[in-house]
Amino acid sequence: MRLNRLLASATFVAMAATSAAAQTPPQNQPVEVVIDQGVLRPYQIAVVDFAGENGADLSGVIRADLRRSGYFEPMNPASFVETGLTLANAPNFPQWTSIGAQAVLYGAVTRRPDDRYDFGFRLYDPFRQCQLASYQFTATREQWRRIGHKIADVIYQRMTGETGLFDSRVVFVAESGTQLNRLSRLAISDQDGFDPVFLTGGEEIIMSPRFSMNDPNEITYVALGKDYSRIYLYNLSTGRRESLGEFDGQVLAPRFSNDGSRVAFSIIRGGNTDVYVMDLASRQVRRLTSDPGIDTSPSFSPDNRQIVFTSDRSGSARLYVMNADGSSQRAVSRGGGLYTAPNWSPRGDLIAFTKQSGGRFSTGVMRPDGSGERILSTSYFEEGPSWAPNGRYIMFARQTPGGDTRLWTVDLSGRVVSQAGYSGRGSDPAWSPLLDEQPSMLGGGPDGCPA
């Protein structure tokens, strides 16, 4: 009974989702951002259509990324006074300040002799009349969408001072069919929902997909068959799937350590549920908890020294933190309600969680010692928070009464809440780290703005 209560939220997601097959969102699909608290004054940024092949579509990707962040409001290109900008020249600053543009981005796509393409751009502050950033990426023609995400990351970093998040992917559980005939598949897409791909065929029930923060090509997940439950490692670059072995009991909620060397998970065995950790090099398994309560959903701190997990050993589901060797187990959550699905921020300063209270579900954060609890989003049902690589946004699954389960995001202020770009039904999302390091040398030039 206690196990059913503790895992009710995760089970409810699986039972409620009736996903259709993964879809690619239409290019011009509007992004709705709900600002539900306080007042935000997003940057008014003019994103000029890039010159060259796929230039207009590339600019559309950048606009959509920036708008979805809540920090930027891309201006209507119909309001632009100056046209014909080239990388060889600076903008006519008064023509941009006259329409209220706080930043101007423009660029060009140029084909190289080796059939690759150069994607060059400049970002200017028209009020200070100086260059904020300039850079050039080189890639194949097919990679133009990803280059758009990388450019959006540069803009985000230069104008907010924080690391970007757009050049990343999301792995999740996609479902289709009816409640009585449900197909569960592991799926992956770009963070904006484009280019979704199924990684499994639907023969198994998929649960708890998670990325390695050390390698964006490595994921782990649980597959439930008719008479087995297994933890798999899946390499996205090679397509190789590897089982971590057979366990005496049902396995749950695997998650990598942040250096990728270990996987922590739970095993239901003999009516009890405990947290274990496996060293991936030796495949040795160590039991970390032995309390009669249900201990599950472990998540490592960024330095790999601590693990947060959920336990009902006190009578209701709460969050606990222990050292990575299982010592010094202590409760940290302090409020009423049931706490599940903890996830340690990549910054290390916060733990995200799902909270059930008063018949509703919330996504919140707290400091690792349990202080400073804040609720960011509340609805009929939501579950499974996952951090963006910059630790500024959280993706989770949300369901409306009688509706479908979809992927949503919320920022740390709780003011910007939006449905994620994937247009199908999905649950249990996991956000990847950035696929590449962001460029550190952005080239200010003689007209560069002060840092």
Side-chain angles (χ1 to χ4, degrees), residues 98-115:
S98 68
I99 62 172
Q102 295 171 279
V104 181
L105 173 75
Y106 59 98
V109 182
T110 307
R111 187 172 182 174
R112 296 162 55 106
D114 61 3
D115 286 335

Side-chain angles (χ1 to χ4, degrees), residues 35 39-45 66 70-74 102:
I35 301 176
V39 177
L40 288 179
R41 293 184 175 87
Y43 289 109
Q44 299 294 303
I45 182 169
L66 297 178
Y71 283 107
F72 299 87
E73 182 54 48
Q102 295 171 279

Side-chain angles (χ1 to χ4, degrees), residues 140-158:
T140 65
R141 176 184 179 183
E142 294 75 20
Q143 292 177 303
W144 66 268
R145 283 193 56 83
R146 186 174 173 203
I147 296 301
H149 296 317
K150 295 175 77 68
I151 293 173
D153 275 334
V154 169
I155 298 165
Y156 183 95
Q157 180 176 359
R158 184 63 178 89

Side-chain angles (χ1 to χ4, degrees), residues 224-362:
L224 301 181
K226 291 183 178 179
D227 56 359
Y228 65 86
S229 66
R230 293 181 185 139
I231 298 174
Y232 284 105
L233 300 181
Y234 189 105
N235 188 282
L236 296 169
S237 61
T238 65
R240 182 173 184 265
R241 186 172 90 154
E242 177 186 6
S243 171
L244 290 188
E246 300 297 326
F247 298 92
D248 179 18
Q250 182 176 334
V251 290
L252 296 169
R255 193 184 295 268
F256 287 100
S257 60
N258 285 278
D259 61 3
S261 66
R262 291 167 286 169
V263 171
F265 54 95
S266 292
I267 302 178
I268 305 173
R269 179 183 296 159
N272 195 34
T273 306
D274 284 301
V275 175
Y276 295 74
V277 65
M278 172 185 281
D279 180 271
L280 292 177
S282 65
R283 297 302 170 96
Q284 292 185 340
V285 177
R286 179 178 180 181
R287 183 175 177 176
L288 299 184
T289 67
S290 57
D291 191 273
I294 297 166
D295 302 329
T296 188
S297 301
S299 175
F300 284 89
S301 62
D303 62 7
N304 301 306
R305 295 180 178 179
Q306 299 182 88
I307 295 174
V308 62
F309 63 101
T310 296
S311 177
D312 71 345
R313 63 183 64 180
S314 65
S316 63
R318 301 176 66 187
L319 301 189
Y320 285 73
V321 170
M322 62 181 167
N323 294 335
D325 62 2
S327 64
S328 187
Q329 299 178 20
R330 65 271 188 196
V332 294
S333 58
R334 302 171 183 173
L338 304 178
Y339 293 82
T340 58
N343 191 344
W344 215 305
S345 165
R347 295 179 175 182
D349 57 338
L350 295 170
I351 293 171
F353 56 86
T354 299
K355 183 175 182 178
Q356 182 183 1
S357 179
R360 291 174 68 79
F361 289 78
S362 301

